[in-house]
Amino acid sequence: MSKKKIARIISEISNGFLTMILTPLLAIAISSLKIELKIIYCLAYLLTTVLPYLILKKLGKASDYEFTKREERPPYFISISLLFGVLFLLLRRYGIEPLTDVSLAIFLVASIITLITFFWKISGHMTYSTLLFFTLAYLFSPYFLLLFLFSPFIAWSRIELEKHNLAQVIAGTLVTAIICVLTYWA
């Protein structure tokens, strides 16, 4: 198997949509919300993640689901940031600490990445896989930080596929790690 094929497989497994949606779904699943609310919020996060992309794709404003072109990223990231902000405010009223913290982290990460995207192309794969790894550690056990052993492979795949350079994958990891540490443990 070629290096490009291996990189593509790793890239697909660590896809931003997948890691972006797994983070809130796990937090909602273990929360004390009633089952009806869990379903509603899971659907809301799923739609928040996917619907803006589908609309932009339909309008011809997104060439691919990885938003390879930096200039295509701001409308998507602005949309999800605003929607994640609304979901955070709605979930905050329940006062369920782990869920509220995760919702805040998702909103902050999306917002900061949105600001960066106006000037520079940061790695969404690294951003949202880092968010997922820290969230698993926060919700379940610090041992989940061992998932960071996979980060170099994700970073390599993004560089190998010529989607990002080393600085962009490192920045995606560091920015998100700082936000998560401040949100979850500060």
Side-chain angles (χ1 to χ4, degrees):
M1 190 178 300
S2 74
K3 287 187 343 181
K4 290 279 189 206
K5 285 185 181 180
I6 294 169
R8 174 58 44 209
I9 291 168
I10 293 169
S11 185
E12 291 300 327
I13 291 169
S14 62
N15 177 285
F17 283 120
L18 178 62
T19 54
M20 190 186 311
I21 195 61
L22 278 176
T23 303
L25 294 185
L26 289 169
I28 292 165
I30 67 163
S31 75
S32 60
L33 288 173
K34 293 179 183 176
I35 188 69
E36 306 84 31
L37 288 174
K38 286 182 181 188
I39 292 168
I40 289 168
Y41 281 109
C42 283
L43 287 172
Y45 271 102
L46 182 61
L47 290 174
T48 293
T49 305
V50 177
L51 196 57
Y53 164 72
L54 294 174
I55 291 168
L56 290 169
K57 182 73 173 166
K58 181 78 173 166
L59 295 173
K61 304 287 183 186
S63 56
D64 61 43
Y65 67 92
E66 292 185 337
F67 293 96
T68 302
K69 299 175 185 170
R70 188 193 57 79
E71 60 273 8
E72 294 178 350
R73 290 175 167 218
Y76 176 74
F77 283 110
I78 290 168
S79 300
I80 65 168
S81 295
L82 292 172
L83 293 169
F84 284 155
V86 169
L87 288 170
F88 163 69
L89 292 174
L90 290 172
L91 285 169
R92 195 176 102 192
R93 72 178 196 208
Y94 296 109
I96 302 168
E97 274 314 308
L99 181 56
T100 303
D101 292 345
V102 172
S103 181
L104 177 60
I106 293 166
F107 168 63
L108 291 175
V109 166
S111 298
I112 298 300
I113 298 309
T114 298
L115 293 175
I116 293 170
T117 296
F118 280 105
F119 309 102
W120 195 51
K121 185 179 172 192
I122 194 165
S123 174
H125 278 69
M126 296 306 295
T127 298
Y128 288 103
S129 62
T130 300
L131 177 62
L132 177 62
F133 299 161
F134 269 99
T135 301
L136 289 169
Y138 174 65
L139 293 175
F140 300 109
S141 166
Y143 290 114
F144 277 99
L145 291 176
L146 291 173
L147 289 171
F148 275 104
L149 295 173
F150 293 105
S151 290
F153 298 105
I154 299 168
W156 168 81
S157 75
R158 304 310 293 156
I159 295 167
E160 178 68 26
L161 294 171
E162 299 176 9
K163 302 290 184 175
H164 293 286
N165 61 39
L166 183 60
Q168 292 166 336
V169 297
I170 290 172
T173 303
L174 290 179
V175 168
T176 307
I178 291 167
I179 292 169
C180 288
V181 167
L182 292 174
T183 304
Y184 295 153
W185 295 291

